[in-house]
Amino acid sequence: MISTVAMKLGTLFGIDIYINKLLVILICIAIVLGEGTKLTVIFLVVFVHELAHMAMARALNLRVSEIELLPFGGVARIESFFEINPRYEVYIAIVGPMSNGLLVLGCMALKNMGLIPPRDYDFFIQANLMLAGFNLLPAFPLDGGRILRAILSRELGIKKATRITTIGGFVLALFLVMTGVYALYYGVFNLTLFVMAGFLAYSAVKENRMVTYVMVRDLTYKRDILIREGAIQSRELVVLYDLPLRDVIRKFVPHRYHTIVVVDERLRPRGYLTEKDIADGLMDYGLNVPVSRLLAQPSRKRGVNGEARS
């Protein structure tokens, strides 16, 4: 769902386009300072960047519901569950900076043909290179952070990978604030640094809050994959019987179906669970219930050889 700090611009190809109010503030400042041309260039560069994300998502048969333009780029919100497929997330993230690189090459070609004035050429090149370079930093929610999360999630799981990359977002936000304070000390006030730092921190907090919801969606989506494709790779986990469900799902990794062996403190098997059992348990009891609570259900309590236990 779109954030409350954004307003709708319109609809393009069935996709709702929003602009973040912080970006509106920067636009107003640019207009007051007489930087209308630069403003137009930046808006165009950001918009093309987001259209690239949208085009790749549609090429992967994923449905894009809305695009939000942000001070440092934007976010294409996808209704399909692409987070559980790290390869898709990498593809969608990388095409944003790549589109800026293509704009640079196209601009250079037009300059060589004498179709672009040198003054406009220089700023257009700088805007694309800065947007692409900044978005490739390994900090969430930037494209580089999404790529890093996709890589890490293969082994660490989506929740832990998200926490690591959002820490990068907080570090980058702190760096921008420190840079802004340092410039202020020498009499230079750059509002953009503080606005971008605030939004990076806000986005990192929001993403951390959403990651559990993403993991629950992951559990549901794997069932759809299995029904559609007939097979999915599996991964077995061994967990202590008093481990809370929230700690069990932290061990899950994307695009794998997990089976869980529940053992006691002497490592003796107490029973077996599937991801469906975990998903049902999350809905019935919440995140904090121990996994042994699920074994109390007769239909879920299994012996070592798979026979039902009384």
Side-chain angles (χ1 to χ4, degrees):
M1 181 170 292
I2 204 75
S3 66
T4 57
V5 292
M7 58 185 185
K8 188 174 180 178
L9 289 179
T11 302
L12 180 65
F13 302 122
I15 300 172
D16 294 332
I17 309 296
Y18 292 83
I19 184 169
N20 190 274
K21 293 179 181 178
L22 296 177
L23 180 56
V24 175
I25 293 174
L26 295 179
I27 289 174
C28 294
I29 293 174
I31 292 175
V32 171
L33 297 177
E35 300 290 349
T37 301
K38 290 184 177 180
L39 168 65
T40 303
V41 170
I42 293 174
F43 190 86
L44 174 64
V45 167
V46 170
F47 191 64
V48 171
H49 183 102
E50 289 311 305
L51 286 180
H53 290 313
M54 180 200 72
M56 177 56 73
R58 287 199 163 182
L60 295 172
N61 295 319
L62 304 177
R63 184 176 183 275
V64 182
S65 59
E66 55 199 27
I67 292 176
E68 182 180 359
L69 302 177
L70 307 174
F72 53 80
V75 175
R77 289 181 172 82
I78 300 170
E79 291 188 354
S80 306
F81 306 117
F82 79 103
E83 294 96 335
I84 65 101
N85 191 328
R87 185 175 68 254
Y88 283 6
E89 186 163 23
V90 171
Y91 291 164
I92 294 170
I94 196 64
V95 294
M98 286 179 61
S99 68
N100 298 122
L102 292 175
L103 286 176
V104 168
L105 294 176
C107 185
M108 293 174 62
L110 292 175
K111 178 180 179 294
N112 291 335
M113 296 168 61
L115 300 177
I116 297 180
R119 178 171 57 87
D120 296 335
Y121 164 83
D122 290 339
F123 182 75
F124 187 81
I125 295 294
Q126 292 172 10
N128 277 282
L129 292 180
M130 288 181 63
L131 182 62
F134 184 73
N135 267 276
L136 285 174
L137 293 175
F140 210 86
L142 303 178
D143 293 331
R146 294 183 181 278
I147 293 171
L148 179 60
R149 182 178 74 166
I151 295 172
L152 294 178
S153 66
R154 291 180 178 274
E155 296 297 330
L156 302 179
I158 189 71
K159 189 163 189 176
K160 186 175 293 185
T162 299
R163 286 184 173 177
I164 291 174
T165 51
T166 51
I167 288 174
F170 285 119
V171 171
L172 180 57
L174 179 61
F175 174 78
L176 292 175
V177 169
M178 293 176 62
T179 302
V181 171
Y182 181 79
L184 192 61
Y185 178 77
Y186 285 95
V188 179
F189 176 63
N190 191 329
L191 179 63
T192 303
L193 293 176
F194 294 101
V195 171
M196 292 175 65
F199 200 87
L200 281 171
Y202 164 79
S203 299
V205 170
K206 181 180 178 182
E207 192 65 27
N208 266 321
R209 290 176 178 174
M210 287 291 293
V211 69
T212 299
Y213 168 66
V214 169
M215 294 178 69
V216 173
R217 292 196 312 174
D218 179 15
L219 295 176
T220 304
Y221 184 55
K222 287 175 185 175
R223 175 180 175 275
D224 297 335
I225 294 178
L226 185 59
I227 292 174
R228 183 177 68 249
E229 300 182 4
I232 187 173
Q233 291 183 333
S234 65
R235 184 171 182 260
E236 187 174 78
L237 294 175
V238 180
V239 304
L240 288 173
Y241 68 99
D242 59 350
L243 193 70
L245 292 184
R246 67 173 183 273
D247 294 328
V248 175
I249 63 175
R250 284 175 182 168
K251 305 297 183 181
F252 289 178
V253 299
H255 217 53
R256 298 289 186 275
Y257 189 84
H258 298 81
T259 55
I260 298 93
V261 182
V262 183
V263 299
D264 59 22
E265 64 277 1
R266 295 186 179 181
L267 302 184
R268 296 177 300 190
R270 296 279 296 272
Y272 294 86
L273 297 169
T274 66
E275 281 200 20
K276 182 181 184 302
D277 297 330
I278 298 298
D280 291 343
L282 288 171
M283 299 302 177
D284 294 341
Y285 308 116
L287 290 169
N288 296 319
V289 67
V291 69
S292 58
R293 177 72 176 275
L294 305 187
L295 293 177
Q297 304 295 324
S299 62
R300 295 175 184 164
K301 195 171 184 180
R302 303 289 177 185
V304 176
N305 296 319
E307 70 276 6
R309 286 176 146 186
S310 59

